[in-house]
Amino acid sequence: MQTIWFETHATSLDNEAGLASGHYDVDLSPAGVEQAIALGRRYDPSDIDLVLTSDLRRAWRTVELAFGDRARVHRDVRLRECDYGQLTRVEVRAIDAVRLSAVTHPFPGGESYQASTERTRRCLENYLATSSGDLLIVGHRATYYALEHLLNAVPLATVVEAPWRWQPGWRYQVRGGEVKG
């Protein structure tokens, strides 16, 4: 049995401005820097085989501030936020208005949540095929959607439609490298 922990990246400058970053590479806000440091206090790096993180700055910087060189870290492009295309850096409420339709239909000039979930699936399957150790993933809301779908078998539309509620980490148990969704 493997444990996969998931944490969202700390608060970014775009989060504070109410903008949906998508693939835009924005930095953490000062509050986000403090949150990242706090994230590092929630985990003992010796209990984690690998920290996987998105290659977007707000995610990898969260990991860097949380763990420094105390954990083995791998940045992976497949863990990026959903690509909002033409809606990148618009107000979050504009994304919220079309979020459910984007489960199967790509954002204009971007990708669908199904596509971003498939990226996450490939990343997970690669890791689970080569290691039996526990994993911490630091990513984005789309990463959370994918994990709920792939590891808890929640229909993707259900998890995307549900109100977003941040919490200090989610825990998943995986038996034999099984990805359900």
Side-chain angles (χ1 to χ4, degrees), residues 12 18 22 38 45 47-49 81-83 85 94 99 105 107 126 176:
S12 73
D47 292 337
I48 299 167
D49 183 53
E81 177 62 275
C82 190
D83 183 357
R99 190 178 303 281
H105 295 74
F107 287 98
N126 284 131

Side-chain angles (χ1 to χ4, degrees), residues 135-157:
L135 171 69
L136 171 62
I137 298 173
V138 176
H140 310 272
R141 192 184 300 193
T143 317
Y144 166 75
Y145 294 160
L147 294 174
E148 285 293 305
H149 176 67
L150 298 170
L151 301 179
N152 283 344
V154 178
L156 191 54

Side-chain angles (χ1 to χ4, degrees), residues 4-7 48-55 59-60 63 67 71-79 120 122-128 134-139 143:
I4 298 175
W5 288 277
F6 170 70
E7 292 271 354
I48 299 167
D49 183 53
L50 179 66
V51 179
L52 276 177
T53 184
S54 161
D55 70 329
W60 65 257
V63 170
F67 300 109
R72 191 166 65 102
V73 176
H74 178 74
R75 295 182 199 177
D76 198 307
V77 66
R78 297 173 294 182
L79 294 175
T120 301
R122 289 190 306 274
C123 182
L124 270 179
E125 287 175 343
N126 284 131
Y127 171 76
L128 295 173
D134 292 342
L135 171 69
L136 171 62
I137 298 173
V138 176
T143 317

Side-chain angles (χ1 to χ4, degrees), residues 100-136:
L100 189 56
S101 66
V103 169
T104 55
H105 295 74
F107 287 98
E111 70 181 335
S112 68
Y113 284 112
Q114 281 181 337
S116 64
T117 296
E118 283 308 307
R119 284 191 280 108
T120 301
R121 175 195 302 275
R122 289 190 306 274
C123 182
L124 270 179
E125 287 175 343
N126 284 131
Y127 171 76
L128 295 173
T130 61
S131 176
S132 59
D134 292 342
L135 171 69
L136 171 62

